[in-house]
Amino acid sequence: MSSLQYPLESRPNSVAHLFLSRAEATPGREAYRYPVAVDGGEEWRSLTWAQTAERVKAIAAGLLALGVRGEERVAISSSTRLEWILADMGVMCAGAAATAVYPSTNGDETAYILADSDSRAVFVENAEQLAKVAAHKGELPGLRHAILFDPAPDAAEIEGLDVLTLAELESRGIEHLVKHPDAVEATVQGIAPEQLATLIYTSGTTGRPKGVRLVHDCWSYQAVAQEATGLVLADDVQFLWLPLSHVFGKALISGQVQSGHVMAVDGRIDRIITNLPVVRPTIMASAPRIFEKVYNGIASRARAEGGAKYKIFLWAAKVARDYARTGQEQLVATGRRTVPLSLTVQHAVADKLVYGKIRAAFGGSLRGSASGSAALAPDIGYFFAGAGVNVLEGYGLTETSAGCTVNPADDSRVGTVGKPLPGTEVRIAEDGEILLRGPGVMRGYHNLPDKTAEVLDSDGWFRTGDIGEIDKDGYVRITDRKKDLFKTSGGKYVAPTEIEGRFKAVCPFVSNILVIGNDRNYCTALIALDESVIMPWAASNGLAGRTYAEVVASSEVHALIEGFVQRVNAGLQRWQTLKKFAVLPRDLDVEHGELTPSLKVKRPFVEREYADIVAAMYEGSREA
Ligand code: AMP
C-alpha cells in the first residue's frame, strides 16, 4: 500500500510532514523524472523518494544554516524544473515560506515582489534571473542570499548579496546536519497548520500584484482532497509542464506527495509535444490552450494531407463531438449514457481511423487529464471526450490554493467545472457571484487588510469575482467573470468570454481573441492567429514565401477569418455580434506582457496596446 491514506479531518499539519512520511513509506520508489543534457542530446533521469528526501533535507538544513527562520520568505525565480520542487520542499521543511516569481516577470516587478514579501533569500534559476535581482539589489536591503540552480561562474560580485550554488547550499546543509542530525525533523515537527507556507502574487489584470497568503494547512488540504477525488493514483505517471509559480502547478505537487506517484517534470512548453510520447503519462494537467493547440495541430496536419484525409478528419471530429454530447445529454436526462446505434458504429470506425492517433499524440497511456485556470471551449471538450481523451475540467483560484471543483472521472460533464472537492463549499450569491469556503482558501492578501476585507467575509466565504450557477446534480458552471461582463451603450449585457469561446470553437486558426464593446454601441474583436496553423494554410493558398506579418495582413487571410466571424455571428443575439474585427500583426505572448504567465489574456493591457486599431474599428461608430 503506497497511499498515506490520511482522512480529510486528521490531515497532517503540513506537506513537509507528508513529505517525510512519504519518503519513509516508499523510499525506493521513483518520485521524480527530469531531463538532463547529455552530449548533444537529452535523457530522462530519476530520483527515488529516499534520494529526494536526502536532497530536500540538505537544502532545508542549508537554509537553517544561513539563518533562515520560521515563516521568513525565501523566493524562487525559476521555470518549472526538478530544482524548483526540491527548493520549495526545502523551504517548507525549514519552516520558512516560499514566494513564487515567474521567470518571465520583468526586473521591476520581480523587485516589487521580493521587497513586498520581504524575502531574505532567493533561489534563481540561472545568470539571467540573478541579473534581474542584482540590478535592483539597492532596493532590497533585506535580501541576503541568492542560490543559483545553474552555476554562473562569470557572474559579477553583487554588493550585499551572498551568491552560492544549489550544490554549495546542499554541502552547507550536510555539514549542518553532522552537528545537528535532527535539525530538519525537529523543525518540521514544530510547523503549525496556520503557519505561512507560500506567498503567491496574483497576476491581476490591473495594478500591482497582490501577495496571496497560503498557510501549510492549505496545501495539506489540497493533498488529501485531491486524492479523495480518486483522480490521482499511486501508480500514475504524471507529466508536469505547468508553471510552478502558479497555484495550479504548485498544488499538483501536494497531491503527488500524498499519493506517491511519479512526476515527470519539464516546463518547456515547446517540448510538450515531443515529451509526451517519451514520458507516456497516465495523467497530466494543463491550461485549455494546450488542448486547443493539440486540436489545431491535428486539424492542420489533416488539412495539409488534403482531400479525402481532411474530409475523414472533419467527419471523425464531428462524430466525436456528437457521440460525447449525445452520451452526456442522455446521462443527464435518463441516468444512462446511451447513444444511438448508428452513431456508435460510426464512432467505432472513426476510432480505428483517427482517434487512436490522437491518443498516441498524448503518449498512448493517458487515463485522464485535468484542464483548469481558464474556460475550456465545450467543442474542444466534447471532441477530446469523444476521441477517448478524458479531459476533466476543474476550477480554482490563486486565493483558494488551486483546486475547488473538478469533474469526476466516471461522470465528467463538458461545459461544467465539476463538483466541489470534499471539504470545499460552493454558494452562489444573489448577483450570481460564486462564493467559496474551505481549508484551501487564503488567509488574506499580504499587508492589504482592506483588499482582503473586500473578498473575504467573517464567516470565511471568499468572493471569487466569477459568475456561475450550480445545477440540480451539483455541477458548477461558470458563465462569466464578474469584471469581464460588460454592457454596450445600448444597455445590453455581453459576456465576451462566451463569444470568444464560440469563435475558438469554429476557427482553427485563432490563437487568441479579445471581444471588445464596453460602453460602445457594437462589439468588435482583436484576433491573433496561430503561426503554426496559418502558415501552412498560407503556403497552399498562394502566399508561399511571405512572412507571418505579411500573411496576417493579407486580404486572403482577412476573407478567411471573415467567414468564421460570420458563422459565429449567425448564432448570436444581434447586440452580441462582431460588427468589425482586426487581425493582429503578431500573436499575443507573455514576454510582451499581453498574457499572464498562466496564459490568460490581460484585457486592459491589450486594449491599450492596440488602442489605434480599436479606435479605427469604432470610427464613425455613433452612426453605425
Ligand atoms: P488564477 O488566480 O490566476 O488562477 O485565476 C483564477 C481565475 O481563473 C478564476 O477566478 C476564473 O475566472 C478563472 N478560471 C479558472 N479555472 C477556470 C475554468 N475552468 N473555467 C473558467 N474560468 C476559470
Side-chain angles (χ1 to χ4, degrees):
M1 168 59 61
S2 87
S3 167
L4 297 173
Q5 299 232 309
Y6 284 108
L8 204 54
E9 309 73 44
S10 54
R11 56 186 177 271
N13 284 2
S14 74
V15 168
H17 289 82
L18 256 183
F19 176 73
L20 296 184
S21 313
R22 159 61 50 213
E24 255 175 46
T26 56
R29 280 181 68 124
E30 186 182 6
Y32 296 100
R33 216 174 274 176
Y34 55 101
V36 179
V38 283
D39 29 68
E42 270 185 13
E43 65 181 35
W44 287 81
R45 299 222 177 116
S46 297
L47 284 185
T48 63
W49 286 104
Q51 290 166 328
T52 308
E54 207 172 298
R55 291 197 63 185
V56 165
K57 284 185 193 171
I59 293 169
L63 291 171
L64 294 174
L66 294 182
V68 172
R69 293 292 171 259
E71 294 195 315
E72 270 187 347
R73 264 73 66 201
V74 176
I76 306 176
S77 178
S78 167
S79 58
T80 290
R81 50 191 276 178
L82 174 73
E83 291 84 351
W84 202 109
I85 298 170
L86 300 178
D88 183 49
M89 206 61 82
V91 172
M92 281 210 190
C93 289
T99 300
V101 185
Y102 286 100
S104 54
T105 299
N106 66 24
D108 274 352
E109 195 142 307
T110 301
Y112 176 80
I113 293 172
L114 294 178
D116 188 65
S117 61
D118 198 13
S119 288
R120 184 185 172 108
V122 58
F123 286 94
V124 283
E125 174 168 29
N126 50 28
E128 191 192 332
Q129 299 301 323
L130 180 63
K132 278 199 285 193
V133 176
H136 293 268
K137 176 66 186 87
E139 304 147 44
L140 304 167
L143 186 72
R144 310 273 167 70
H145 313 278
I147 303 131
L148 273 159
F149 291 162
D150 297 334
D154 300 333
E157 290 227 335
I158 304 159
E159 205 185 309
L161 197 67
D162 159 38
V163 180
L164 65 166
T165 62
L166 184 62
E168 284 163 353
L169 180 77
E170 289 178 53
S171 303
R172 285 198 207 182
I174 291 164
E175 277 168 35
H176 188 79
L177 286 172
V178 172
K179 283 182 241 146
H180 311 280
D182 298 328
V184 175
E185 279 83 357
T187 305
V188 171
Q189 283 319 313
I191 295 175
E194 289 300 310
Q195 200 170 312
L196 184 70
T198 312
L199 258 187
I200 298 191
Y201 282 75
T202 45
S203 4
T205 44
T206 50
R208 284 291 196 186
K210 303 185 286 273
V212 173
R213 291 176 66 88
L214 301 172
V215 299
H216 282 282
D217 191 45
C218 293
W219 299 122
S220 184
Y221 166 70
Q222 277 292 325
V224 181
Q226 281 175 34
E227 195 184 47
T229 63
L231 298 179
V232 281
L233 304 175
D235 291 328
D236 273 323
V237 174
Q238 178 161 199
F239 176 62
L240 173 68
W241 70 269
L242 284 165
L244 282 162
S245 326
H246 187 252
V247 270
F248 192 14
K250 158 92 181 137
L252 299 172
I253 304 295
S254 304
Q256 180 232 358
V257 173
Q258 165 76 8
S259 82
H261 63 262
V262 179
M263 189 72 96
V265 192
D266 185 355
R268 294 169 299 175
I269 295 181
D270 58 353
R271 301 281 302 190
I272 295 177
I273 303 292
T274 37
N275 277 335
L276 286 171
V278 181
V279 173
R280 300 175 55 81
T282 56
I283 51 173
M284 73 179 273
S286 259
R289 183 78 195 104
I290 296 302
F291 297 106
E292 291 166 10
K293 258 187 180 306
V294 172
Y295 176 82
N296 288 345
I298 298 166
S300 88
R301 269 198 303 281
R303 190 180 303 107
E305 285 173 341
K309 288 231 165 125
Y310 187 45
K311 279 207 183 109
I312 290 173
F313 170 78
L314 290 178
W315 163 80
K318 183 173 177 330
V319 169
R321 285 193 293 268
D322 289 351
Y323 183 84
R325 189 182 287 114
T326 312
Q328 181 172 315
E329 282 166 4
Q330 284 300 312
L331 188 70
V332 172
T334 67
R336 290 183 53 224
R337 199 184 286 273
T338 43
V339 176
L341 185 62
S342 63
L343 192 53
T344 307
V345 172
Q346 289 187 63
H347 183 262
V349 177
D351 192 78
K352 288 224 164 54
L353 294 176
V354 178
Y355 307 153
K357 289 185 202 139
I358 294 168
R359 293 193 292 271
F362 286 95
S365 302
L366 205 62
R367 183 167 57 73
S369 180
S371 175
S373 100
L376 179 73
D379 268 11
I380 300 281
Y382 284 125
F383 168 79
F384 281 113
V389 179
N390 209 8
V391 180
L392 307 170
E393 186 165 7
Y395 164 66
L397 300 88
T398 305
E399 287 90 336
T400 61
S401 51
C404 284
T405 72
V406 71
N407 267 287
D410 56 354
D411 191 0
S412 170
R413 300 195 182 169
V414 174
T416 80
V417 294
K419 297 180 174 182
L421 258 60
T424 292
E425 296 169 84
V426 183
R427 195 153 67 85
I428 307 293
E430 258 178 33
D431 66 352
E433 183 168 7
I434 300 174
L435 310 182
L436 297 168
R437 182 162 72 175
V441 172
M442 68 165 179
R443 302 308 191 259
Y445 294 117
H446 190 56
N447 292 335
L448 295 169
D450 292 349
K451 294 261 184 237
T452 304
E454 281 171 22
V455 296
L456 210 52
D457 76 13
S458 52
D459 292 331
W461 286 100
F462 169 69
R463 309 181 71 87
T464 60
D466 295 307
I467 304 285
E469 54 202 31
I470 307 175
D471 72 14
K472 63 175 183 14
D473 298 327
Y475 287 74
V476 177
R477 188 183 293 272
I478 297 174
T479 48
D480 210 336
R481 225 175 142 168
K482 205 168 168 179
K483 50 194 157 214
D484 279 347
L485 255 187
F486 64 68
K487 271 188 175 183
T488 60
S489 53
K492 295 277 195 192
Y493 266 123
V494 174
T497 46
E498 190 204 341
I499 303 173
E500 289 157 5
R502 288 184 189 213
F503 190 81
K504 284 185 173 179
V506 300
C507 176
F509 302 96
V510 65
S511 172
N512 284 290
I513 166 167
L514 194 79
V515 170
I516 297 167
N518 194 25
D519 289 336
R520 315 268 197 174
N521 57 348
Y522 56 78
C523 294
T524 61
L526 296 175
I527 298 170
L529 303 182
D530 192 327
E531 185 168 357
S532 64
V533 188
I534 195 67
M535 292 310 277
W537 180 89
S540 48
N541 282 274
L543 300 173
R546 308 270 186 102
T547 64
Y548 173 81
E550 289 166 344
V551 165
V552 295
S554 68
S555 55
E556 289 88 340
V557 165
H558 197 272
L560 173 75
I561 302 303
E562 171 103 64
F564 295 111
V565 168
Q566 281 171 6
R567 264 173 70 189
V568 170
N569 280 347
L572 292 174
Q573 306 280 3
R574 187 188 46 78
W575 66 88
Q576 299 174 319
T577 53
L578 303 174
K579 298 281 189 295
K580 294 185 183 176
F581 70 93
V583 179
L584 296 177
R586 58 169 179 78
D587 201 350
L588 306 180
D589 59 33
V590 179
E591 285 71 24
H592 289 85
E594 292 134 352
L595 301 183
T596 68
S598 51
L599 306 184
K600 282 198 262 284
V601 178
K602 292 189 191 171
R603 291 170 181 277
F605 187 100
V606 178
E607 279 190 47
R608 272 199 307 280
E609 188 180 18
Y610 292 107
D612 289 349
I613 295 181
V614 174
M617 292 194 292
Y618 286 101
E619 232 170 53
S621 69
R622 295 296 155 207
E623 286 78 48

